[in-house]
Amino acid sequence: CVDPELRRAQREKLGLASEDLLLVHAGKLAPNKGVGVLIEAFASAGAGPAQLLIIGAGEPAYEAELDRLIAARGLSGRVKRLPFLSTVELNAYFNAADLGLWPGNPSIVIQEALCAGLPVIIQDHPTVKHLVAYENGLLVEKDSVASLTGALVRLTADPEARARMGQASRQLILDHHTYERISDEFLR
């Protein structure tokens, strides 16, 4: 999961310097996933020269709505969208990123991001609170641009917190979400 050489190579491929900040969201693009809220919060947060990568696909009309929102907020140069990717490709982008964002309904790929050592910002939802149990991320209110903006401002401005949270994300996966650990729990 965590691969420093993959991080370097993927960031180089993306034209990112080591100090550039890359935020990532991956999964199905649908209103309940909070992608519109994410774009609004990203615009509100400012986040300096940060880039936002949105990976996934949805209904064409909703994708067009997101593209219009990106353009309307003047973010076309800072927000990039990619289609669904294979697990290997997705891992490369997670390794390249500095922060994972899932402000809407949960996605299984959150665990893949944690495995890659990403700190996360996720919706405060009972089914995923355990994914930030190691203080490896922040919880935000559902459909709240203000809540997500505050979390983005906090973490984009604090590289030490992101590094600490990223290490904690990886540890959480090692302690609770490896195949071995899951099978041991299942067989008990």
Side-chain angles (χ1 to χ4, degrees):
C1 288
V2 175
D3 185 336
E5 180 53 31
L6 180 59
R7 175 179 171 81
R8 187 204 58 73
Q10 189 69 17
R11 288 178 70 86
E12 184 177 296
K13 182 178 172 183
L14 292 169
L16 297 171
S18 61
E19 68 276 2
D20 292 338
L21 195 59
L22 179 62
L23 315 179
V24 66
H25 168 86
K28 181 179 180 181
L29 301 183
N32 67 348
K33 296 294 186 171
V35 183
V37 170
L38 172 56
I39 293 166
E40 292 285 6
F42 183 70
S44 296
Q51 301 286 312
L52 173 60
L53 185 58
I54 299 172
I55 302 169
E59 294 295 324
Y62 185 66
E63 287 191 45
E65 181 182 321
L66 294 176
D67 290 337
R68 284 190 298 276
L69 181 58
I70 290 165
R73 297 300 176 262
L75 297 172
S76 297
R78 295 181 49 216
V79 177
K80 181 176 182 177
R81 289 200 323 101
L82 295 175
F84 279 118
L85 300 173
S86 71
T87 301
V88 171
E89 292 170 309
L90 191 56
N91 184 53
Y93 285 102
F94 284 159
N95 268 275
D98 300 290
L99 181 59
L101 307 163
W102 286 273
N105 285 0
S107 174
I108 192 68
V109 298
I110 296 170
Q111 292 179 356
E112 294 175 41
L114 296 174
C115 187
L118 278 181
V120 294
I121 298 174
I122 59 177
Q123 179 187 333
D124 189 354
H125 191 279
T127 62
V128 292
K129 282 187 177 186
H130 68 284
L131 295 178
V132 293
Y134 280 33
E135 298 181 9
N136 54 305
L138 301 176
L139 297 171
V140 294
E141 299 168 30
K142 180 179 179 156
D143 297 326
S144 174
V145 172
S147 179
L148 182 54
T149 299
L152 280 171
V153 167
R154 177 176 167 196
L155 288 185
T156 57
D158 193 344
E160 291 82 19
R162 287 194 314 273
R164 186 176 58 255
M165 288 177 165
Q167 290 172 351
S169 287
R170 179 70 177 139
Q171 193 60 52
L172 176 111
I173 291 297
L174 293 173
D175 289 351
H176 300 286
H177 297 279
T178 63
Y179 289 122
E180 295 82 13
R181 188 75 159 146
I182 292 168
S183 65
D184 287 348
E185 290 294 320
F186 180 75
L187 295 173
R188 283 189 191 169

